[in-house]
Amino acid sequence: MAKIIGEAIKNMPWEEKPLGYKGPVWRYKGNPIINKDGIPSSNSIFNSAVVPFGDGYAGIFRCDSKAVSMDIYAGFSKDGVNWEIQHEPIKFEGADPEILKREYRYDPRVCFIEDRYYITWCNGYHGPTIGVGYTFDFKTFIQCENAFLPYNRNGVLFPRKINGNFAMLSRPSDTGHTPFGDIFYSQSPDLEHWGRHRFVMGTYRGDASAWQSTKIGAGPIPIETDEGWLLIYHGVLTTCNGMVYRIGSAILDIDEPWKVKYRTKNYILAPEELYERVGDVPNVVFPCAAISDADTGRIAIYYGCADTVTGLAFTTVDELVKYTKENSL
Ligand code: BMA
């Protein structure tokens, strides 16, 4: 039995796997949990991140407005399923005014480390790069220096220091819709200066695992387990009709996370339901957060659907680790 190394989470969102369902990850019956018009100004709410907070949950949500301006908004929930999202985007303070200038913000991740909640997101600064900020209370938000030069996306922190340094996965990219992309690991003593970059894993060229042949990117904050870091990530295939986003999982070495122990050949979740198939960008499932309970091994995955709404799906650490090991490339 694989074990989560972390906190016990009381009353986390959960549904048992439906009888007869074969896959390692199953959807919440009430999906989508957040609709496109969850706040008055929104065109779509998707690719969003949540964490346990107080006696409930807090989150940072990607809301594209009816002007189709991309920004991030705080929200709160008692049960992790029903959310109240603020009507105004987050206002950051603190950083150098040059860095505080907003171009666009999207695809947030949230990671509790030591005493605060760090937020990373895709931040427009002469092209996309990784924005970094933090909050203690989801009311006041401090922005730090961007982690990297443009162009980069999918910056995902690890939930503790590794070998004495903060650690982040990211995906160097381009100014457009990036027809390539591999996952790298970077280290920092202070969350400002990043270096000691290591290659983690790349696209899979060839027919054996074509769903991840165009680009890949880290999803939720990696989950610490007794088998290594459990990483849930997205993989993209370019078809004659555009890009298709699916979800896979990998197990990374606990002390040297750039060493990949296992990585799924098959996807673990793919666009199948209508709300994943049809939307502003069809055929996209894009995970940005997971809540995991060390006591029961339950994992709840939050993912964007068709760049329009937000879905919830479930697995257990035991099931996903077993699946990843038994179906590894
Ligand atoms: C990526 C990002 C994601 C989006 C995906 C599919 O490049 O922009 O926010 O979900 O494309 O459109």
Side-chain angles (χ1 to χ4, degrees):
M1 293 284 278
K3 284 201 171 19
I4 291 169
I5 299 167
E7 304 275 302
I9 308 295
K10 297 282 162 262
N11 88 71
M12 68 176 267
W14 182 250
E15 262 177 13
E16 292 296 336
K17 184 163 171 168
L19 268 179
Y21 186 87
K22 294 275 185 310
V25 175
W26 56 97
R27 296 168 179 80
Y28 176 60
K29 287 199 191 81
N31 266 359
I33 57 164
I34 301 167
N35 276 310
K36 60 193 267 305
D37 43 11
I39 59 173
S41 60
S42 62
N43 164 78
S44 44
I45 306 182
F46 56 112
N47 302 4
S48 297
V50 311
V51 281
F53 176 68
D55 54 8
Y57 299 90
I60 306 292
F61 294 86
R62 170 177 176 177
C63 303
D64 292 5
S65 73
K66 290 187 172 70
V68 196
S69 156
M70 305 181 283
D71 216 331
I72 55 177
Y73 293 64
F76 300 92
S77 172
K78 288 203 167 61
D79 58 9
V81 176
N82 297 286
W83 286 90
E84 289 202 6
I85 300 171
Q86 298 196 334
H87 292 186
E88 294 300 322
I90 289 171
K91 279 205 168 56
F92 283 101
E93 40 189 85
D96 185 301
E98 169 70 9
I99 296 302
L100 274 179
K101 283 186 220 158
R102 175 193 167 280
E103 282 183 25
Y104 49 80
R105 306 186 179 115
Y106 66 84
D107 295 359
R109 312 308 200 266
V110 186
C111 186
F112 184 78
I113 313 177
E114 293 171 0
D115 62 348
R116 66 194 73 181
Y117 301 89
Y118 288 95
I119 303 157
T120 52
W121 67 94
C122 180
N123 192 38
Y125 183 71
H126 305 273
T129 185
I130 309 302
V132 182
Y134 65 84
T135 183
F136 292 98
D137 54 8
F138 289 88
K139 288 186 189 133
T140 303
F141 294 89
I142 308 297
Q143 189 169 349
C144 312
E145 291 290 321
N146 292 327
F148 305 118
L149 289 168
Y151 313 106
N152 204 315
R153 291 181 170 97
N154 298 299
V156 175
L157 287 165
F158 283 75
R160 64 167 171 83
K161 287 183 177 165
I162 299 172
N163 304 316
N165 284 320
F166 293 99
M168 196 194 293
L169 299 172
S170 74
R171 210 275 306 287
S173 60
D174 68 7
T175 49
H177 294 295
T178 319
F180 62 88
D182 303 333
I183 298 177
F184 287 81
Y185 178 89
S186 304
Q187 308 176 53
S188 171
D190 55 6
L191 274 153
E192 180 170 330
H193 304 88
W194 291 91
R196 303 183 69 91
H197 310 292
R198 298 286 181 274
F199 176 81
V200 179
M201 60 182 188
T203 54
Y204 192 82
R205 301 280 168 194
D207 175 66
S209 188
W211 66 271
Q212 49 185 335
S213 58
T214 296
K215 55 181 168 176
I216 57 172
I221 303 309
I223 298 167
E224 187 166 4
T225 79
D226 59 352
E227 299 267 355
W229 294 102
L230 177 58
L231 175 68
I232 297 170
Y233 66 99
H234 69 259
V236 180
L237 167 71
T238 305
T239 74
C240 60
N241 218 11
M243 290 178 180
V244 177
Y245 283 67
R246 298 184 173 90
I247 303 177
S249 55
I251 299 173
L252 312 180
D253 184 83
I254 207 76
D255 298 316
E256 298 177 311
W258 56 93
K259 295 189 175 157
V260 180
K261 293 168 72 178
Y262 305 96
R263 166 186 185 179
T264 52
K265 174 162 157 285
N266 298 343
Y267 58 75
I268 59 168
L269 195 82
E272 278 172 22
E273 298 292 334
L274 200 59
Y275 57 88
E276 298 163 343
R277 290 276 195 203
V278 178
D280 283 0
V281 183
N283 299 316
V284 179
V285 290
F286 195 98
C288 287
I291 296 172
S292 49
D293 174 25
D295 275 2
T296 58
R298 293 172 174 176
I299 299 174
I301 302 167
Y302 291 77
Y303 66 105
C305 310
D307 283 16
T308 304
V309 298
T310 304
L312 175 60
F314 304 107
T315 186
T316 66
V317 68
D318 205 41
E319 176 135 12
L320 197 52
V321 164
K322 191 162 176 276
Y323 188 88
T324 309
K325 287 169 80 169
E326 287 176 1
N327 295 278
S328 188
L329 271 172

